[in-house]
Amino acid sequence: SRRQRQMCIRDRDSAIVIKSKYQGNKKLAWLQFYQQSIKCQRPKNINMFAFCSEDKIQQRDAFEQQYTQ
């Protein structure tokens, strides 16, 4: 219907805001620290996605320990 098309157009034009966990110098340090596996750039299945998520959490924990020292 016309109303549904209008809603889709509005939704498509809406800004998406993604908040970063880090800001400023800490964000720059994180971007230099974090090493994403090539396999994690496009995970092929849920198991690889889970691995990539867990790996990022582990790297974030290591980063937090180093950054606060």
Side-chain angles (χ1 to χ4, degrees), residues 12-32:
R12 187 175 43 203
D13 293 338
S14 297
I16 297 173
V17 177
I18 300 173
K19 284 293 238 177
S20 176
K21 183 165 178 68
Y22 305 119
Q23 304 294 321
N25 289 336
K26 192 170 185 178
K27 181 177 183 176
L28 293 174
W30 166 250
L31 292 173
Q32 290 179 336

Side-chain angles (χ1 to χ4, degrees), residues 26-39:
K26 192 170 185 178
K27 181 177 183 176
L28 293 174
W30 166 250
L31 292 173
Q32 290 179 336
F33 180 90
Y34 177 58
Q35 298 295 311
Q36 183 183 46
S37 168
I38 292 172
K39 294 184 277 187

Side-chain angles (χ1 to χ4, degrees), residues 26 62-69:
K26 192 170 185 178
F63 171 75
E64 287 289 340
Q65 288 179 356
Q66 286 184 10
Y67 193 82
T68 55
Q69 292 178 351

Side-chain angles (χ1 to χ4, degrees), residues 39-64:
K39 294 184 277 187
C40 293
Q41 291 176 2
R42 287 187 164 190
K44 302 266 188 237
N45 57 51
I46 194 70
N47 290 334
M48 183 54 66
F49 182 83
F51 166 82
C52 296
S53 296
E54 191 62 34
D55 181 60
K56 189 171 186 177
I57 290 168
Q58 289 175 357
Q59 287 193 54
R60 184 176 292 141
D61 289 346
F63 171 75
E64 287 289 340

